[in-house]
Amino acid sequence: MTPVVSYIRVSSAKQGKSGLGLEAQRQAIARFAEAEGFAIVAERVEVETGKGADALNSRPELAAALAEARKIKAAVVVAKLDRLSRDVAFVAGLMAQRVPFIVAELGRDADPFMLHLYAALAEKERVMIGARTKAALAAAKERGTRLGNPRLADVRAKGSATNRAKAIENDAKALPLIRSMQAEGASFRKIAAELNARGIATARGGTWAATQVSDIVKRAA
């Protein structure tokens, strides 16, 4: 049987931890190897983005797969071309490594020219998807559609409302003393010291400073 090195990649840490995508690629490569008479002698798994023509510098597992394949004069097998990259320049750089690549999805007979062609199509598709996504977001924004995670926005809004309520409640506790000391001509710094001495905390549970006393006075006005 002909030896090959298997290379599997996902682009996010979340996918890597969950195994989402990894096992599907592994099974696809295993089925392909069995059908074509290949023996998988090594497997390299990477969790890293595939963006950029110089992405090889940030993909040590791919570099290791290339080194192992070169050492035993074998090919590197991937499940799909986009597991290498959708960037034509990057794929061209891999071809220059003089290590043959086999894409299970395309079959064992797909030559470097075909790989370049499919990479060019994949890159064009990526650009078109990005353009369509931007256009759709811009149109949604013009319609007044709320973008982003609505649940997260609601949580933040509730948090802000809670903080405001706490600040109002705290102002109500501190304001009588502040007004009384102001009437006696006390400075904001002296009022802050007195609030701390009486154990009256700020809305966030901290100690008072002159600027915070000033803020309460401004809000009350």
Side-chain angles (χ1 to χ4, degrees), residues 5-162:
V5 175
S6 170
Y7 176 71
I8 300 170
R9 181 182 69 85
V10 291
S11 58
S12 72
K14 184 177 180 180
Q15 287 178 322
K17 289 178 181 179
S18 67
L20 182 63
L22 293 176
E23 191 56 36
Q25 292 176 59
R26 184 175 289 115
Q27 291 177 7
I29 292 172
R31 288 193 299 268
F32 174 77
E34 183 179 4
E36 297 292 342
F38 292 126
I40 301 172
V41 297
E43 177 186 277
R44 289 288 177 170
V45 178
E46 195 119 61
V47 179
E48 182 58 60
T49 179
K51 293 181 179 179
D54 61 344
L56 186 58
N57 295 331
S58 60
R59 288 163 68 177
E61 293 302 317
L62 178 55
L66 288 168
E68 290 172 348
R70 192 180 295 112
K71 183 177 180 180
I72 62 176
K73 296 181 179 179
V76 173
V77 180
V78 295
K80 299 175 66 176
L81 184 59
D82 64 6
R83 296 306 84 201
L84 289 176
S85 179
R86 290 187 177 94
D87 190 291
V88 177
F90 182 77
V91 172
L94 290 179
M95 298 300 107
Q97 300 289 325
R98 300 190 180 280
V99 172
F101 281 89
I102 299 174
V103 180
E105 185 180 50
L106 303 179
R108 67 181 299 169
D109 297 325
D111 58 22
F113 173 76
M114 292 297 294
L115 294 183
H116 278 83
L117 180 59
Y118 280 109
L121 291 173
E123 182 175 316
K124 180 64 175 178
E125 181 186 24
R126 183 190 67 194
V127 172
M128 291 175 67
I129 289 173
R132 286 197 298 268
T133 301
K134 287 181 180 179
L137 289 174
K141 190 174 182 180
E142 285 184 6
R143 292 194 304 269
T145 303
R146 196 160 138 201
L147 302 178
N149 186 331
R151 293 184 63 186
L152 181 58
D154 288 342
V155 169
R156 287 176 175 170
K158 289 178 181 177
S160 297
T162 300

Side-chain angles (χ1 to χ4, degrees), residues 141-220:
K141 190 174 182 180
E142 285 184 6
R143 292 194 304 269
T145 303
R146 196 160 138 201
L147 302 178
N149 186 331
R151 293 184 63 186
L152 181 58
D154 288 342
V155 169
R156 287 176 175 170
K158 289 178 181 177
S160 297
T162 300
N163 290 338
R164 285 195 298 271
K166 286 183 178 179
I168 292 171
E169 181 182 356
N170 200 70
D171 287 4
K173 291 179 180 178
L175 196 55
L177 176 60
I178 292 173
R179 289 200 184 282
S180 174
M181 294 188 68
Q182 268 194 304
E184 296 174 359
S187 66
F188 289 151
R189 182 177 296 178
K190 186 173 181 180
I191 295 172
E194 184 62 25
L195 287 167
N196 291 329
R198 296 195 183 194
I200 301 174
T202 64
R204 295 186 177 183
T207 55
W208 290 90
T211 54
Q212 292 166 306
V213 176
S214 174
D215 289 341
I216 284 188
V217 172
K218 288 177 182 178
R219 284 198 295 270

